[in-house]
């Protein structure tokens, strides 16, 4: 296995899971079970398999239940970033956790499910990482390999891998998988409190420093209860 660009990942697990209701009425979305195990365990198992040693997990909604579950894990070693007092969104969550995160670090959503292609996602990102040119490297997937996805896409990518956002009313060929490799530089001079990652990405796009890597495996969006059954069927078939 190639050497990874980082030994640590931030796992985003603090959200309210509104689209997953009613399954999130009494539990956090990362604890919703798919194919026999909680969503967050799918993500953490993939980190462990790739050789990522540490995971920083932010918690807010039903934080006690999620924290108790995470205490059972041995690999990767889990550190909690506590957002019980205020939900900080993706950008604010990364900023709060920054003291626990090396430069660079992986970041992924806790509801990600994917089947790797020839190489695992984290090796793919690591081999393409260039800190001299990049503030963040996003794992993106073409529509043909994005299962359960019904949207218009997120990004265009030029021949050098630089990303630009989809224009309003247009279709973009690449969808963000929720997995990225992030430099501390992306978070420089960032606002206090609650803010989204898009603010940081917009600046990186303007500076030509937001890049993408096209995923060679299959990615499954599991944002609603209706997406669970087809995802389980695909995983069993895989």
């Amino acid at each position: 296995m190639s050497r990874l660009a980082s030994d640590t990942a931030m796992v985003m697990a603090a959200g309210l899971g509104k689209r997953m209701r009613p399954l999130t009425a009494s539990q956090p979305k990362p604890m919703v079970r798919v194919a026999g195990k909680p969503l967050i365990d799918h993500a953490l198992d993939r980190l462990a398999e790739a050789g990522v040693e540490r995971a920083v997990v932010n918690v807010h909604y039903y934080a006690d239940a999620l924290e108790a579950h995470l205490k059972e894990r041995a690999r990767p070693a889990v550190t909690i970033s506590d957002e019980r007092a205020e939900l900080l969104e993706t950008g604010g969550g990364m900023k709060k956790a920054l003291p626990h995160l090396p430069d660079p670090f992986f970041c992924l959503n806790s509801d990600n499910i994917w089947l790797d292609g020839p190489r695992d996602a984290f090796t793919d990102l690591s081999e393409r990482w260039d800190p001299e040119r990049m503030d963040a490297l996003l794992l993106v997937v073409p529509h043909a390999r994005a299962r359960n996805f019904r949207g218009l896409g997120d990004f265009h990518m030029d021949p050098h891998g630089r990303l630009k956002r989809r224009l309003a009313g247009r279709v973009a060929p690449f969808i963000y998988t929720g997995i990225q490799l992030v430099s501390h530089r992306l978070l420089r001079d960032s606002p206090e409190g609650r803010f989204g990652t898009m603010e940081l990405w917009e600046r990186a796009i303007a500076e030509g420093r937001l890049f993408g890597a096209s995923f060679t495996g299959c990615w499954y969006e599991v944002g609603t209860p209706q997406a669970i059954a087809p995802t389980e069927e695909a995983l069993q078939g895989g």
Side-chain angles (χ1 to χ4, degrees):
M1 184 177 67
S2 300
R3 189 167 184 268
L4 296 178
S6 182
D7 67 353
T8 302
M10 173 149 197
V11 183
M12 296 291 185
L16 302 177
K18 292 179 180 179
R19 292 175 60 224
M20 193 60 89
R21 290 176 179 168
L23 298 180
T24 50
S26 58
Q27 64 180 338
K29 184 180 178 183
M31 292 297 293
V32 171
R33 299 180 81 84
V34 175
K37 65 181 175 183
L39 279 165
I40 195 167
D41 285 344
H42 285 276
L44 291 170
D45 287 350
R46 285 305 175 89
L47 287 170
E49 289 164 9
V52 178
E53 296 173 5
R54 298 173 54 243
V56 179
V57 181
N58 64 341
V59 298
H60 172 81
Y61 184 65
Y62 282 101
D64 291 351
L66 186 53
E67 194 168 355
H69 175 73
L70 293 171
K71 283 180 180 175
E72 303 299 316
R73 286 201 70 98
R75 295 180 59 244
V78 173
T79 299
I80 297 296
S81 182
D82 193 335
E83 294 181 26
R84 284 174 173 86
E86 181 186 12
L87 183 60
L88 295 171
E89 297 186 24
T90 52
M94 276 197 289
K95 183 171 183 174
K96 180 180 175 63
L98 210 55
H100 303 292
L101 298 169
D103 189 7
F105 61 94
F106 295 107
C107 185
L108 66 156
N109 296 336
S110 59
D111 57 358
N112 273 354
I113 291 184
W114 69 93
L115 294 174
D116 284 315
R119 295 178 300 184
D120 72 81
F122 305 102
T123 298
D124 246 356
L125 288 173
S126 296
E127 291 192 351
R128 301 185 193 199
W129 179 245
D130 182 352
E132 298 301 317
R133 295 191 302 144
M134 302 174 181
D135 284 356
L137 177 62
L138 279 56
L139 192 70
V140 295
V141 63
H143 287 261
R145 291 199 289 275
R147 308 296 162 82
N148 306 327
F149 184 78
R150 301 290 179 265
L152 297 175
D154 301 308
F155 292 103
H156 298 271
M157 186 162 58
D158 76 11
H160 303 288
R162 287 187 179 87
L163 295 178
K164 289 190 176 179
R165 286 186 67 188
R166 176 180 63 82
L167 298 174
R170 304 287 294 275
V171 175
F174 291 101
I175 299 131
Y176 174 50
T177 63
I179 305 170
Q180 59 179 322
L181 183 53
V182 182
S183 167
H184 282 206
R185 188 178 188 276
L186 184 74
L187 288 135
R188 75 191 189 282
D189 305 322
S190 53
E192 297 300 320
R194 178 185 304 200
F195 67 96
T197 312
M198 187 58 72
E199 290 186 40
L200 308 175
W201 286 349
E202 290 279 17
R203 179 176 63 183
I205 289 171
E207 295 175 350
R209 295 183 62 86
L210 190 73
F211 283 74
S214 183
F215 186 43
T216 55
C218 286
W219 172 80
Y220 300 86
E221 183 176 57
V222 195
T224 65
Q226 293 73 30
I228 293 176
T231 301
E232 290 178 330
E233 185 177 341
L235 291 175
Q236 288 160 6

